[in-house]
Amino acid sequence: MEGDRLDSDRVESRVTIKGIERELICPACKELFTHPLILPCQHSVCHKCVKEILFAFEDSFADGGSESSNQSSPRIKISSSSMERIDRITRTGRKRNSLTPRSSLFPCPGCQRDIDLGERGMNGLFRNFTLETIVERYRQAARAAIAIMCDFCKPPPQESTKSCMDCSASYCNECFKIHHPWGTVKAQHEYVGPTTNFRPKILMCPEHEMERVNMYCEICRRPVCHLCKLSGCHANHRVTTMSTAYKTLKEKLSKDIAYLISKESQVKGHITQLGLLLKETECNSERAKEAALQSFEKLSHVLEEKKSAALRAIEVSKNLRLEKLQTQAEEYQGLLENNGLVGYAQEVLKETDPSCFVQTAKQLHVRIQKATESLKSFRPAAETTFEDFVVDIAKQEEALGDLSFHSNGLEIPEINKGQSRMYNKALISWESPGKTESADIYVLEYRKLYREDESAMWQEIEVCSKSKVISDLDEDSSYAFRVRGYKGSICSPWSPEVILRTPPAPVFSFLFDDKCGYNSDHLLLNSRRTSVESRAGFPLLLGSERMQIGCYTTLDYIIGDTGIAKGKHFWAFHVEAYSYLVKVGVVSSNKIQKLFHNTHDGTSPRYDQDSGHDSGSEDAFFDSTQPFTLVTLGMKKFFIPTTPAAPKDPESRILPLPSCLGICLDCDKGKVGFYDAGPMKCLYECEVDCSGIMYPAFALMGGAAVHLQEAITAKYGEYHEDI
């Protein structure tokens, strides 16, 4: 009775397992999962497939992204678009530390999001033991007649009856008793029915191999250990206990499964409807093919008529020219001795009767004179070239290149200039202006523009989202961008082109230095050291209260934590609109001490309290007295410093403050430029002494704030769904 029940359970399980085969296929090799690993995007991929993908990426980097690099991994099917992204990602990976794995970036085969495995690479991924167990049950159901043999029997081996999870081996009854004697520690081992899927009893943390996972990170959606929470990358993340996460997820999953099962009749109805839609799609596709064929045949008929007319015109012109040239050749043939006109004239000269000679020679002499004149100025009777018969098909070729199906309501996407920007990379964002259905996929094209009328060829990228990061653009260059949407075979027209300019030099990355001269009483840094704000509070009021004469409020300085010794570099930042006074520029290492020990403010009405006169003449050329090169910003204005080359009119030296400012330092030429970082337009440039190590420098007074421009990085998707 019990045996019948077990057999029926096996049959039911076999049927259930066989119905989920689609969920057990690896998206990379299209085969059943083998030791699946969980990627950061929560998709699973075979351990071997992840390794082969990384090897394929390294090969593509070494071979320059050639197609042959993909032939070394026959199990992996990598699309051409993925291969294009391989080359782009591996090029960006050249800046990685040499101690890290050569390749840890690749697009997920399931969702195509860019995955970064980090410093630990594959070692930082969890094995999906649950999926592995289900795949093993499926394999057993598919090969029900194939038995699992004992690992310890002498040949011939016996069929196993149980498997030990602690020993990771299968045994027949006799071998199990021998290797697990009663009264020993091995007798306490956990055993199950015959299986080839052995999983550890305790799941260990891949980051801290000696620690077991006991918590669940709700942000990253992965198990973590207590060390990950205390000092690892999950220190500031929201975590919960493993038991709570298990209970919550299981309740949600069970509830959702129960709901789907309760809607079984509705699902069957949808399946029936989809079957009808499949047939309807087949019929409609044939009609569409026929209509497209007729359209192209009509177009082909027009082209054939045009071709025939052009060829007829060329043939008629050819015959007319040949006739003229042939006649001219015969005329010149007659100018030879004893031939034609000359021969006839020679016979006339033999006439001795004057009356008869004069009667004939008069007209002949006119013909001889014309022949003589034509001989002196020879000119062919017809042109041999057919330049007037060259068919100009440039416009038609461009029109045929854009030939596509009607958009049928698919609106033209628009590139958002406010969200698109150029920095270390290009970030291009776009949106659909209307409320109609958006495209399934977008094609972004870009090309480099030159000062001449020439432009480079368009480069094309397929994008599934509404933004894209583009790397490896040339410095100090303008690029045109355009985008179009696709929904199936239907495409929208191209969006209007947007032109953006890259920075004039490679982007220099640094943070604000919180040690060298940093005044924590007056300045406030954020935790990432990318923003600084001056505190216009009691310290400033107390300092002003002690000053009874003049205005000698000291500027608070802060510099970057990284210096520049040579080369050309660019960095950008934002100054808050409410800022009263901000100075930005560069400072040399041999002047830093003078900078932080200078107690007088160069913007004061009197630089020296004992001078007894205005400092107007002293401030005329302040660059010679300042410890560093800078410009002044504030009250939504950009002030060009007073120099001999600067405009004499004060109003012409005051410009609106750009939303984003940039500084370009060229140590080799000894120049520093200040840019509007939007259009990359230079507002002011001056010479600077680069004899020492140069540091980015900032000074703030009153209420003011400066935010460093963040580098553009590839986005891997957001995973904020609550458990």
Side-chain angles (χ1 to χ4, degrees), residues 328-347:
Q328 187 179 23
E330 292 175 356
E331 290 178 355
Y332 275 94
Q333 188 73 26
L335 299 181
L336 298 176
E337 186 177 3
N338 299 322
N339 282 313
L341 181 63
V342 174
Y344 174 67
Q346 289 175 337
E347 292 297 325

Side-chain angles (χ1 to χ4, degrees), residues 45-83:
V45 180
C46 295
H47 179 279
K48 187 175 181 181
C49 290
V50 175
K51 185 180 293 186
E52 289 183 353
I53 289 174
L54 294 178
F55 279 137
F57 276 35
E58 290 182 2
D59 292 343
S60 71
F61 174 69
D63 299 340
S66 63
E67 293 182 2
S68 60
S69 64
N70 192 24
Q71 299 175 356
S72 60
S73 302
R75 296 178 74 246
I76 307 238
K77 288 109 177 153
I78 302 179
S79 64
S80 58
S81 60
S82 296
M83 291 302 298

Side-chain angles (χ1 to χ4, degrees), residues 100 168 295 348 361 475 491 504 575 580 600 624 720:
T100 63
S168 299
S295 298
V348 171
E475 302 159 6
C491 68
V575 176
Y580 175 69
H600 301 295
S624 61
H720 295 305

Side-chain angles (χ1 to χ4, degrees), residues 458-503:
W458 287 102
Q459 300 186 52
E460 182 179 292
I461 304 175
E462 287 190 1
V463 187
C464 297
S465 60
K466 291 186 179 181
S467 64
K468 186 62 182 176
V469 174
I470 303 175
S471 307
D472 299 329
L473 299 179
D474 294 337
E475 302 159 6
D476 200 16
S477 302
S478 295
Y479 284 84
F481 299 88
R482 66 181 184 180
V483 65
R484 77 190 318 175
Y486 281 84
K487 192 171 185 64
S489 299
I490 301 172
C491 68
S492 69
W494 287 107
S495 68
E497 292 184 15
V498 171
I499 298 176
L500 298 176
R501 189 166 185 83
T502 56

Side-chain angles (χ1 to χ4, degrees), residues 238-253:
R238 185 172 67 253
V239 300
T240 184
T241 62
M242 190 63 70
S243 59
T244 302
Y246 170 79
K247 182 179 179 181
T248 304
L249 286 170
K250 195 160 191 176
E251 286 178 355
K252 289 183 66 176
L253 186 59

Side-chain angles (χ1 to χ4, degrees), residues 398-658:
E398 184 178 355
L400 287 173
D402 290 335
L403 185 64
S404 62
F405 297 104
H406 295 298
S407 62
N408 196 22
L410 193 61
E411 293 197 0
I412 305 175
E414 293 181 1
I415 296 179
N416 190 322
K417 296 182 180 180
Q419 295 181 2
S420 301
R421 61 189 178 97
M422 286 277 203
Y423 199 41
N424 58 316
K425 301 176 183 178
L427 172 61
I428 309 299
S429 299
W430 58 89
E431 55 191 15
S432 298
K435 298 181 180 179
T436 57
E437 193 172 1
S438 60
D440 296 330
I441 194 170
Y442 295 91
V443 172
L444 174 65
E445 285 191 346
Y446 65 97
R447 65 179 176 181
K448 184 178 178 180
L449 303 178
Y450 297 95
R451 293 183 179 178
E452 298 81 8
D453 294 335
E454 300 179 0
S455 296
M457 295 292 293
W458 287 102
Q459 300 186 52
E460 182 179 292
I461 304 175
E462 287 190 1
V463 187
C464 297
S465 60
K466 291 186 179 181
S467 64
K468 186 62 182 176
V469 174
I470 303 175
S471 307
D472 299 329
L473 299 179
D474 294 337
E475 302 159 6
D476 200 16
S477 302
S478 295
Y479 284 84
F481 299 88
R482 66 181 184 180
V483 65
R484 77 190 318 175
Y486 281 84
K487 192 171 185 64
S489 299
I490 301 172
C491 68
S492 69
W494 287 107
S495 68
E497 292 184 15
V498 171
I499 298 176
L500 298 176
R501 189 166 185 83
T502 56
V507 170
F508 177 63
S509 298
F510 65 93
L511 301 174
F512 287 118
D513 196 333
D514 58 353
K515 296 179 177 61
C516 181
Y518 170 62
N519 188 343
S520 59
D521 292 334
H522 294 177
L523 298 178
L524 176 63
L525 274 175
N526 66 345
S527 57
R528 294 187 299 162
R529 293 192 286 133
T530 57
S531 297
V532 62
E533 182 178 2
S534 63
R535 297 176 175 178
F538 280 106
L540 182 60
L541 291 176
L542 292 175
S544 300
E545 189 272 335
R546 289 192 292 268
M547 300 296 178
Q548 301 297 328
I549 300 175
C551 178
Y552 297 97
T553 307
T554 304
L555 287 165
D556 294 307
Y557 298 101
I558 189 169
I559 63 173
D561 63 350
T562 307
I564 301 171
K566 61 181 180 179
K568 191 175 181 181
H569 304 271
F570 179 86
W571 61 92
F573 51 89
H574 303 269
V575 176
E576 288 288 354
Y578 64 79
S579 299
Y580 175 69
L581 175 60
V582 175
K583 288 179 178 286
V584 296
V586 292
V587 60
S588 175
S589 57
N590 51 28
K591 294 183 180 180
I592 289 181
Q593 295 299 324
K594 181 180 179 182
L595 171 70
F596 289 109
H597 287 84
N598 179 27
T599 59
H600 301 295
D601 178 15
T603 63
S604 167
R606 297 176 183 270
Y607 184 78
D608 187 351
Q609 297 185 38
D610 298 329
S611 64
H613 62 275
D614 283 343
S615 59
S617 59
E618 298 170 3
D619 288 344
F621 307 107
F622 73 94
D623 283 342
S624 61
T625 61
Q626 290 295 310
F628 65 128
T629 303
L630 50 76
V631 296
T632 302
L633 318 169
M635 300 180 68
K636 301 182 182 180
K637 302 296 181 183
F638 178 96
F639 298 88
I640 298 178
T642 304
T643 62
K648 297 181 179 180
D649 183 11
E651 293 185 359
S652 61
R653 294 194 299 108
I654 302 176
L655 305 176
L657 179 65

Side-chain angles (χ1 to χ4, degrees), residues 75-215:
R75 296 178 74 246
I76 307 238
K77 288 109 177 153
I78 302 179
S79 64
S80 58
S81 60
S82 296
M83 291 302 298
E84 179 184 346
R85 297 166 66 215
I86 287 173
D87 184 53
R88 186 170 63 258
I89 292 173
T90 48
R91 286 201 305 265
T92 60
R94 285 178 295 183
K95 298 180 181 179
R96 297 177 63 85
N97 192 303
S98 60
L99 299 178
T100 63
R102 280 187 59 192
S103 178
S104 63
L105 289 164
F106 64 94
C108 169
C111 63
Q112 296 303 311
R113 289 194 180 101
D114 291 340
I115 301 299
D116 187 357
L117 298 184
E119 299 294 331
R120 290 183 56 82
M122 293 175 58
N123 295 329
L125 299 176
F126 280 105
R127 271 178 67 180
N128 195 337
F129 290 108
T130 302
L131 177 57
E132 200 169 333
T133 301
I134 297 173
V135 171
E136 177 59 26
R137 289 208 299 266
Y138 174 83
R139 292 183 190 275
Q140 291 181 4
R143 61 173 188 230
I146 302 176
I148 299 175
M149 309 309 291
C150 176
D151 295 328
F152 296 91
C153 281
K154 295 181 180 179
Q158 300 295 316
E159 183 178 343
S160 63
T161 58
K162 53 179 69 68
S163 296
C164 179
M165 301 304 291
D166 295 276
C167 301
S168 299
S170 299
Y171 302 86
C172 64
N173 286 332
E174 294 300 324
C175 291
F176 186 80
K177 293 177 182 178
I178 295 173
H179 291 276
H180 296 76
W182 184 260
T184 63
V185 177
K186 285 191 173 183
Q188 306 299 320
H189 284 188
E190 177 187 358
Y191 62 91
V192 296
T195 183
T196 58
N197 178 39
F198 299 100
R199 52 193 286 181
K201 296 174 119 183
I202 301 175
L203 193 61
M204 307 304 288
C205 176
E207 296 288 336
H208 310 93
E209 298 177 354
M210 302 304 294
E211 301 293 332
R212 61 181 296 178
V213 294
N214 53 6
M215 290 180 285

